[in-house]
Amino acid sequence: MRRSSRHRHGRLGPLLAGLIGLWALGVGPGFGGGAAAQQAGTDSQEGPRCGTVDLVFAIDKTYSIGRAIGEVKAESRRLLDLVKAVSAGRFRLGLISFRDDIDVDLDLTDAGDPEEADRLFRRALFKLRAEGGEGGPEASDEALRTAVEGLAGGRGRPQRGDFSGDWRAASRILVLLTDSLPGGFDDTFREEEDGANARAVAGAALARGIRISAVYIPTDGNQPQPDPRKAELMRTYALLTGGLFAQIQRSGQGAAEAIADIIEACGAKTVS
């Protein structure tokens, strides 16, 4: 697919350089990430563990992710019950799926009541079909950008549906589930463009108090070892925003448990 226009960024350094650049500005996981992040992950008698919760999933729906998606579907009721528990029923949900393009399956909007939010999310989730992909990079970086910046589809952007990006909860959790490198919209990974774009999205998330937690599935076809660049980039999302990183089995088993751990932690890595 032809590469669609996107925000262009100069070449960023590796992970350490990205961290140093953010910390030099006084922005980073160690600085609390703003009022929303300071409220997240606290247990007190005054309210639920996570406070209010905005939880958005960005899910790769290529064929190789099929078992992981199936497991999340099978455990969806348990996962949503957990969201209700950590937020005392004050939560909103969103779902974005991607291959080399993007679908906004459920916008992050008020559903009216927890049961309605639960119903709308599970309906959108159960419509996902894992197919295609052929092992190449996918549009994970652009799917995250849609969630973080609240981007609309159309006008040359290969995205169906609009995402409001109306993040306002105390705990703002964005969960990425994929087995591929980020490739924009052209199925190709270039470090100087796609790697830089991924780190720029993480910086934009941090500035908005959104923590990205990444669940990596090391499928890698018949390769004896997974591509280390994939895990490195997914760790980068978590490190730059204060989220969590999990690597599960290459079969996709463990996806639901990894997501449960993220929810229980309010999407925030504990800094001791």
Side-chain angles (χ1 to χ4, degrees):
M1 183 179 293
R2 180 177 61 85
R3 178 170 291 265
S4 176
S5 61
R6 65 164 69 168
H7 298 287
R8 297 292 176 180
H9 307 279
R11 180 181 177 87
L12 299 181
L15 172 58
L16 181 59
L19 285 166
I20 292 172
L22 288 171
W23 287 335
L25 296 173
V27 179
F31 290 89
Q38 292 171 13
Q39 295 177 49
T42 58
D43 274 302
S44 74
Q45 296 179 351
E46 297 178 357
R49 182 193 313 173
C50 300
T52 55
V53 171
D54 285 343
L55 173 60
V56 177
F57 291 87
I59 297 180
D60 181 335
K61 58 180 176 182
T62 55
Y63 178 78
S64 56
I65 306 295
R67 179 167 178 177
I69 293 177
E71 184 177 293
V72 173
K73 289 178 178 179
E75 295 290 329
S76 60
R77 194 170 297 280
R78 178 175 71 92
L79 294 173
L80 293 177
D81 285 345
L82 185 56
V83 176
K84 294 173 190 176
V86 301
S87 66
R90 299 173 62 198
F91 65 92
R92 298 184 304 156
L93 302 167
L95 176 61
I96 296 169
S97 58
F98 61 90
R99 296 186 185 96
D100 291 329
D101 52 9
I102 298 168
D103 284 292
V104 176
D105 303 289
L106 182 66
D107 193 8
L108 183 61
T109 53
D110 294 311
D113 65 79
E115 295 306 317
E116 179 68 2
D118 183 313
R119 185 186 68 80
L120 290 174
F121 178 80
R122 294 184 75 243
R123 184 176 68 180
L125 177 66
F126 275 79
K127 287 181 178 180
L128 293 188
R129 295 291 179 268
E131 55 192 12
E134 299 181 359
E138 308 300 341
S140 58
D141 51 339
E142 290 296 330
L144 293 177
R145 182 180 296 284
T146 291
V148 170
E149 298 185 1
L151 300 182
R155 296 186 296 279
R157 182 175 179 80
Q159 172 180 315
R160 289 171 289 275
D162 302 338
F163 193 81
S164 67
D166 180 27
W167 299 82
R168 58 175 184 264
S171 294
R172 304 172 187 182
I173 309 169
L174 178 52
V175 177
L176 171 65
L177 181 68
T178 188
D179 66 346
S180 294
L181 287 165
F185 296 117
D186 68 351
D187 203 29
T188 302
F189 174 77
R190 302 179 184 89
E191 167 57 33
E192 66 277 9
E193 183 170 352
D194 301 296
N197 190 48
R199 289 186 285 273
V201 170
L206 180 63
R208 292 166 171 81
I210 302 167
R211 299 181 189 271
I212 301 175
S213 289
V215 180
Y216 170 46
I217 309 165
T219 53
D220 288 286
N222 295 321
Q223 298 299 317
Q225 296 294 330
D227 185 338
R229 297 175 300 171
K230 298 178 182 180
E232 180 185 356
L233 272 169
M234 294 186 73
R235 282 193 184 96
T236 298
Y237 289 130
L239 284 169
L240 290 179
T241 65
L244 293 94
F245 168 79
Q247 180 170 320
I248 62 174
Q249 296 185 32
R250 65 167 53 197
S251 66
Q253 183 178 352
E257 199 59 40
I259 292 169
D261 289 343
I262 292 166
I263 295 168
E264 288 185 328
C266 309
K269 183 174 178 62
T270 301
V271 179
S272 57

